[in-house]
Each structure stands twice: as C-alpha cells, then as structure tokens.
Amino acid sequence: MKKRLLIVCGLVLSMYQASAQTYEIKSPDGRIQIKINNSDKISWSASLNGNLIIENAEAGMDFSASTDFGINPKVKNHTIKSVSENIHAVISHKDSDIKDQYTELSITYQGNYKLNFRAYNDGAAYQFIDEAKAKREVISEKVSFTFPKGSRSLFPQEESMYSHNERLYIDKALPEIASKDFCSLPVLFTTDKAKVLFTETALIDYPGLFLKGNGNTTLDAIFPKYVLEAVDKNGNSDRVQTIKKEADYIAKASGARAYPWRVFMISDDDRTFVESNLAYQLAKPNVLKNTDWIKPGKVAWDWYNANNIFGVDFKAGLNTETYKYFIDFASKNKIEYVILDEGWTKSTTQILDFNPDIDVKELIRYGKEKGVGIILWVLWKPLDANLLQILETYKSWGAKGIKIDYMQRNDQYMVNSYEQIARECAKLEMLVDFHGAFKPSGLERMYPNVMNYEGVRGNENNKWSDEITPEHTVTIPFIRMAAGPMDFTPGSMINKEPKNFSISFTRPMTLGTRAHQVAMYVVYEAPLQMMCESPSIYYKEQETVDYITQIPTVWDETKVLHGSVGNYIVVARKKADKWFIGGMTDSDARELPIDLSFLGDGSFSMEAYADGSNVDTYAQDYKIDTLKVDKNSKITAKMASGGGWSAIITKN
C-alpha cells in the first residue's frame, strides 16, 4: 500500500513539474537576466552579469470574484519581442529624448489576464493586464521578493500609511526589518554584487504600494485599504483626517485595465539610479493635445523665510506690499513665478476669498505687468470638496497654477484625486505642484502640467530640525529622485557648519556650505524649482542669485560623472548649447576629477562656483572663477566638508 502511494505521488510530482513553464528574457545589452516560472504560482528572479540579485519574487492578485491572477496559472500563449523606440519628453526632467529599449515577455493566461515583463539595460519591470469586463474588488496584491543573505536597505520607514512620505533613509540589514516595519517608496537595496531600487509607476485608479519586512531577506507589499469614511481629526481640523472606516479590499475594479508597473532599477554603478528614466518610460504617455502653455521655471517662495523682508518702509508680513516686493525681486531677476503660500486665503478652509490684508487680484495683475506668474497654495481637503468652482475662480483671477498641500494619503480615492486635479487644471491651463504628497508615480508624464511632488524630507525641515545633513542631501538624488521630480526647495543663503547651526522657524539656516546649496540647482530635478530664501537676503547676495538664475529647471541631456549613495555626486546636464555641472559631498571633503570630454570640439568659457578658502569656519564663503576650457581640460571639483562645486560652461 505504501509503495503504491509513493508511485502515485511520484507521478503527480512528475506531472506537476512537466506543467511548470519557465521563460527567460535578457536586457538588450545582455547583462540583466529575468527568469519567470509558472507552476502553482508566478515567480521570478533577476541576475546581473550572472550574479543572482533577486533570488525569488512572486506576483499575483486576489479578487472578490472571477479569476485570481497567479494562482495555479494556466498559460495560453506567450510572445517575446525586442523594442527600440524614442520617447520625446514634453517636460524633460533629465533628458528631452529618451531611448526606450527593452526586451518584453508577454504571457497570456486562462482567465483573461496578461503579465508583461520587460528587461531594460538599467532594470526590470512587470505589469498585470486585466482583459475581463467584470466589476469586482481587489482584495490584495502579491508583490514579494527575496534578496541574498547579507543584503541591506536604505529604508524610508513609516509609522503610518497616513503620511507625507518625507522620510530619512535608515541603513538596515534586511533581517533587522521586522514584520511590523514598513516603508514608502522608492526604496534602495544593496546586495554583494549590485543595488536594486524599487518603485512603481503608471499608478492610476489604484492605491500606492508600501513594503514591509519579515525579519528575514524577504519583503512583501502592503496597501492602504479602500476608505469608506474619513472625518476631520478631533472634528475640526482643516487638514488632518481620521480614517474612520475602511473596506476589506484595497481597490474597486471595473472592466479591462492595466495595473501599475512594478519597477526594479538594477545596477552595480550608483550613477545609474540618477540617470535612469525607467519610471518615466513606463508611465502612461501624455494625454494633452496642447502643451505649449506649460512653462517650467523658478519660483520665489515665501513660507520658508516666513515673509521676513527688511530694509523697506512698510511692515513685512502677509500683506499686499510684501508680495509686491517678492514680485519685484522675481521680475528683476527673471524668476518666472511667485507662490502665495499659506495665509493668503480668508482662512485655510475659506479658500474662495482672500485675507483682507492681501489683494490677490491686484497681485496677479501686478505680476502680469512685471512678467511674473502667481501660483496659489491650497489645502487639499477644502479643494477636494469644491474642486471645479475653486479652480475656475483661481483661473478667472489669472493664477498660473496651484500648490496643493496635506494630502497625506495613498489610497485609491487619493490617487484618483491627484489625477482629477491634474486633469481639471490642464483644462484650465494651470500648473500643479503636489506638496504633502506621495512620490511621483507617472502622472507627470500623462499630465505634464504636473510639475513637482514633495514626498521628500527637504529644506523646510531646517525650520524645526537638524536632520537635513549633507549625508541626507547626497542620498536623496539616488533614491527619492529616481522616482521623479523632487520639490526639495533649495536656495538657502544662511549656511552653517555643524557647530554653528541652530534651529529657527522664522530665520532658518542650512547645514553645509553655500556652494552645496547652489549645486542643488543642477543636481536636483524640479521643473518648478524654488528659491527659498528671503528676497532681502538674496539682494545682499546678488552675485549668487545671478549665478543661480542662469541654471535651467529642465534639461536636454544628463550625465552623472561621479556618484556614490550618501557620499557624493557630480552631475552634468545640457540645455540648448550650454552645459551645467553640479557636485555635492557629504561631511568628507573631496577632490573629484571632472572629465569634460562630453563637450565636443571647440573652446568654452567655464564659470565655476566653489567653496571658499575659509569655508571650514564660515560656510557661506565661496569663490567664482572664470576660465577657458575644452574637452581635454583637466578640472578638479574641490569640495570642503558638506561642500559643493558647480559650473556653467558656454561655447565661445
């Protein structure tokens, strides 16, 4: 009896093994290899140069009705193709023309669904496609992956899914990430042979993904539940809600649709994570017919400096005179926009009328006369309650865009709200800056009037903490910025070495040197790039302002010359016929060689902004040198502790 049972089990095992179907694709350059296995589930692995980087990963979706994805999957057919196309970016965060080159495996399963897998030279991605027409709920999605032993993460740990997603990156061995620990995206993992950055894009009508640990080297996705009822916190908050009731599912689904791309940037060169366009390439294409009205640029910003201007014959503050001073400053320096941040409305919930001390219509008229556009800050909660009337009113006044704050959620309703805001603003030809926001997830390609997202622990934190260190500022380009544009809000002119730094809400200062802040204008991608300092201080630092205002906010081409996560970065970017270089270092002083071979033939003038000789004791010390260079010139970026170096290169 036992012998006969063993034979039957052996036959079942043989049949099971025979039924498993395995596919393999490689990146165009052959370095990245993806293996996909279909047995009782869908699993996959990834290798770089023959080294296993993601040992085992699983993909699937659980629905309330009809077919679940990845449960005993039955393959109907599959195709493998090579693609090489060009994408022209409407708003070019790093490259105006992007080579979209990949190998794609598309598997069609019984049950009316597909799984598309792509292998790129800089990573891999997959996406489920639902071809059914059924209305149902998504109960959960299986996104799980296991790294080799010894792997670590720079983990943007969250305390709650109700979050601005403004995190520090905690260096943890993966077994130290317990089952109660979870993070927002993007997140970086380090193995012995390579690094992996995980994020998502084409996030439409679906909740954002968080990632939790298990006390081992496996991590799993978790999602915010579908919100059934949200109420004001303590019954009267203008911006913070309590999620009072949630469903037992994460999303509602109706009919055929594509789900978000799960994106894995894979490289043994840290520079890849800054150069990669994967999140943009995989996003849904632009849906706007006319984009000529979308104008990136710099913004004179009021909230960071608490409207503290001086040397004037009126009382500074939330009033018309102060904002005319901001507009005059912007106009004199060819800064495209001024933001009216919190305080311009009658109250934070009465946002169709303005503070009696601020004549918004007059400011918009005055700005137009001076060639400066006005962007209006609003809280998400009152905006969501009356979106169309509010936007149409702001447009009728002549506002160029809105900055929305305090979303703090990542559930399906909130993701849909982002898209609705982008769509309605596009109809009115208005720009959008998402503050208090989750990371970029592709909407900025679909609606290029979406200029920026915060979702980063940025300069404003200097008002209440000492956490914005040079180590942090040279970490975020490799992680947070890999997902898309980043509203860090650089431009501080009050720069301090650590022993002289202090926290001040109304007179904030930054750790690191002046040259470190200036270099951010090249290193950090933000089509609407803030100038956070008080105009009165900028007037005293006109030489630095004149340098910064030469730097564009969108780019034709990007090259990362040096890069090491959390240590240093040097980026070269081209706009039209000029090159711009930005370098930043952590607390270690560095000298990095600058290879100018990308310049091509001819002679060039280089204006370099560098740390001054006494920057170790006075962080605001800098020097500007102008010299002749060509593609063979030997240049060194010498950076002090917490320092920076930048250059503007013009052909003679």
Side-chain angles (χ1 to χ4, degrees):
M1 186 69 181
K2 290 180 180 179
K3 184 176 182 180
R4 190 175 299 170
L5 180 61
L6 286 171
I7 292 171
V8 171
C9 289
L11 286 171
V12 170
L13 182 59
S14 297
M15 290 169 62
Y16 171 79
Q17 290 172 334
S19 68
Q21 293 168 297
T22 301
Y23 305 98
E24 179 182 312
I25 56 173
K26 290 185 177 181
S27 58
D29 64 4
R31 297 182 71 226
I32 293 177
Q33 179 186 48
I34 309 296
K35 291 184 178 179
I36 301 97
N37 183 64
N38 297 278
S39 53
D40 59 334
K41 59 189 176 184
I42 299 171
S43 59
W44 61 278
S45 62
S47 300
L48 177 68
N49 295 327
N51 299 304
L52 199 58
I53 305 300
I54 299 174
E55 289 186 342
N56 180 63
E58 296 180 25
M61 297 185 72
D62 180 20
F63 295 92
S64 61
S66 301
T67 304
D68 294 329
F69 298 173
I71 305 299
N72 296 315
K74 302 294 188 296
V75 176
K76 290 176 65 177
N77 56 66
H78 78 281
T79 60
I80 296 177
K81 65 180 180 180
S82 296
V83 175
S84 183
E85 299 174 340
N86 289 315
I87 297 172
H88 178 73
V90 176
I91 301 299
S92 50
H93 307 137
K94 62 184 81 206
D95 299 294
S96 57
D97 291 291
I98 301 165
K99 190 171 185 179
D100 193 33
Q101 188 177 22
Y102 56 89
T103 307
E104 181 178 80
L105 165 67
S106 183
I107 307 172
T108 301
Y109 295 93
Q110 293 180 19
N112 291 319
Y113 70 97
K114 286 184 178 180
L115 178 62
N116 293 332
F117 244 105
R118 292 184 183 178
Y120 293 82
N121 291 342
D122 52 353
Y126 72 82
Q127 177 189 54
F128 278 111
I129 308 290
D130 190 352
E131 297 184 320
K133 296 181 180 180
K135 288 187 177 183
R136 51 184 175 168
E137 288 81 44
V138 182
I139 304 302
S140 63
E141 180 183 349
K142 180 71 170 178
V143 181
S144 176
F145 37 89
T146 302
F147 291 100
K149 288 183 179 179
S151 298
R152 305 185 68 85
S153 176
L154 287 175
F155 199 70
Q157 188 159 323
E158 298 278 357
E159 286 76 47
S160 168
M161 291 191 202
Y162 190 88
S163 167
H164 292 297
N165 297 167
E166 301 170 17
R167 315 308 298 172
L168 296 174
Y169 295 91
I170 306 169
D171 184 10
K172 287 189 173 188
L174 296 194
E176 296 173 357
I177 304 173
S179 58
K180 64 179 176 61
D181 298 333
F182 65 95
C183 73
S184 49
L185 302 184
V187 55
L188 188 71
F189 301 96
T190 302
T191 73
D192 284 344
K193 301 296 183 180
K195 291 185 175 74
V196 177
L197 184 133
F198 176 58
T199 192
E200 61 183 344
T201 194
L203 179 65
I204 302 293
D205 192 24
Y206 197 75
L209 186 152
F210 292 77
L211 204 61
K212 78 173 190 70
N214 287 288
N216 51 38
T217 61
T218 299
L219 296 104
D220 293 293
I222 55 174
F223 297 85
K225 298 289 188 181
Y226 187 90
V227 174
L228 296 173
E229 184 181 1
V231 299
D232 296 351
K233 188 173 183 180
N234 301 322
N236 61 2
S237 175
D238 59 0
R239 67 196 71 192
V240 181
Q241 294 183 310
T242 298
I243 308 301
K244 195 172 182 181
K245 190 176 181 181
E246 295 176 318
D248 60 357
Y249 50 85
I250 65 172
K252 291 182 177 181
S254 57
R257 61 158 297 170
Y259 286 96
W261 282 99
R262 307 305 175 201
V263 183
F264 302 81
M265 298 177 190
I266 302 170
S267 183
D268 54 7
D269 184 342
D270 289 1
R271 296 178 298 173
T272 301
F273 304 109
V274 182
E275 291 182 338
S276 178
N277 284 293
L278 267 188
Y280 187 90
Q281 290 166 249
L282 289 159
K284 289 194 173 185
N286 168 40
V287 298
L288 303 183
K289 292 181 180 179
N290 175 26
T291 58
D292 293 344
W293 57 272
I294 301 173
K295 304 296 184 186
K298 293 190 179 66
V299 186
W301 182 39
D302 55 341
W303 191 82
Y304 176 86
N305 54 74
N307 297 82
N308 272 321
I309 61 174
F310 49 86
V312 296
D313 58 2
F314 58 86
K315 185 70 173 177
L318 291 168
N319 55 54
T320 302
E321 292 87 350
T322 297
Y323 282 112
K324 283 192 172 182
Y325 183 91
F326 270 81
I327 292 168
D328 287 341
F329 163 74
S331 180
K332 289 173 184 176
N333 291 282
K334 297 182 180 179
I335 295 166
E336 290 84 351
Y337 301 99
V338 166
I339 276 183
L340 308 191
D341 213 289
E342 183 169 6
W344 73 265
T345 54
K346 189 172 183 179
S347 73
T348 51
T349 55
Q350 293 174 292
I351 61 177
L352 281 169
D353 200 358
F354 25 94
N355 180 335
D357 294 326
I358 302 176
D359 189 338
V360 175
K361 291 182 181 179
E362 166 59 15
L363 290 173
I364 291 172
R365 184 208 64 77
Y366 187 72
K368 185 177 181 180
E369 178 184 292
K370 295 283 188 173
V372 177
I374 301 298
I375 296 171
L376 300 176
W377 175 93
V378 291
L379 285 171
W380 172 80
K381 197 164 73 68
L383 178 68
D384 182 62
N386 191 17
L387 180 66
L388 297 184
Q389 183 185 2
I390 291 166
L391 292 181
E392 288 166 0
T393 299
Y394 294 175
K395 177 64 177 179
S396 73
W397 296 345
K400 294 296 184 181
I402 59 170
K403 172 183 173 181
I404 312 106
D405 209 348
Y406 279 91
M407 284 74 80
Q408 303 178 102
R409 286 164 48 186
N410 217 345
D411 55 272
Q412 187 180 27
Y413 183 91
M414 184 59 74
V415 171
N416 286 343
S417 178
Y418 276 46
E419 184 181 356
Q420 183 187 23
I421 290 168
R423 180 174 61 250
E424 297 303 330
C425 281
K427 291 177 184 177
L428 297 169
E429 298 190 352
M430 297 177 71
L431 306 178
V432 179
D433 179 5
F434 287 115
H435 221 57
F438 56 76
K439 83 284 177 195
S441 301
L443 190 64
E444 66 280 5
R445 181 181 176 193
M446 188 177 178
Y447 289 96
N449 59 314
V450 175
M451 295 277 99
N452 266 9
Y453 300 73
E454 191 181 20
V456 64
R457 190 162 295 194
N459 250 359
E460 68 181 21
N461 285 263
N462 291 299
K463 291 165 73 74
W464 53 80
S465 81
D466 59 359
E467 296 172 333
I468 310 304
T469 63
E471 286 72 21
H472 176 72
T473 55
V474 294
T475 296
I476 54 179
F478 300 91
I479 305 178
R480 164 57 184 82
M481 202 171 76
M486 182 176 74
D487 199 4
F488 178 87
T489 68
S492 166
M493 297 290 103
I494 306 176
N495 320 109
K496 299 293 181 179
E497 51 285 349
K499 66 181 180 181
N500 290 321
F501 179 85
S502 62
I503 296 168
S504 173
F505 190 85
T506 57
R507 291 290 189 191
M509 59 194 71
T510 51
L511 284 163
T513 71
R514 169 71 59 77
H516 191 86
Q517 283 285 311
V518 169
M520 291 175 181
Y521 285 93
V522 180
V523 174
Y524 292 170
E525 294 159 13
L528 276 184
Q529 184 64 279
M530 303 296 150
M531 294 183 67
C532 69
E533 194 56 86
S534 164
S536 298
I537 295 175
Y538 278 139
Y539 278 131
K540 289 178 173 290
E541 301 289 349
Q542 191 63 48
E543 186 177 51
T544 297
V545 171
D546 290 343
Y547 187 90
I548 291 172
T549 53
Q550 295 180 67
I551 302 171
T553 65
V554 289
W555 308 98
D556 293 331
E557 186 178 350
T558 292
K559 298 177 180 292
V560 182
L561 307 182
H562 298 282
S564 176
V565 178
N567 297 309
Y568 55 85
I569 184 170
V570 180
V571 180
R573 302 189 194 266
K574 187 180 184 183
K575 182 63 177 177
D577 59 353
K578 288 187 177 183
W579 280 94
F580 302 80
I581 304 175
M584 300 162 61
T585 186
D586 61 3
S587 296
D588 293 331
R590 300 181 194 276
E591 294 187 15
L592 297 174
I594 305 299
D595 181 355
L596 296 178
S597 60
F598 56 81
L599 290 178
D601 295 333
S603 63
F604 299 79
S605 295
M606 183 174 80
E607 185 180 8
Y609 192 110
D611 292 318
S613 301
N614 295 296
V615 74
D616 291 337
T617 54
Y618 185 69
Q620 292 169 204
D621 191 25
Y622 70 90
K623 61 181 178 179
I624 296 178
D625 293 322
T626 301
L627 59 156
K628 302 295 184 183
V629 296
D630 59 32
K631 65 181 181 181
N632 299 310
S633 298
K634 304 299 182 184
I635 301 296
T636 299
K638 184 177 180 181
M639 296 180 282
S641 171
W645 185 91
S646 53
I648 300 171
I649 304 175
T650 306
K651 193 166 187 177
N652 293 325

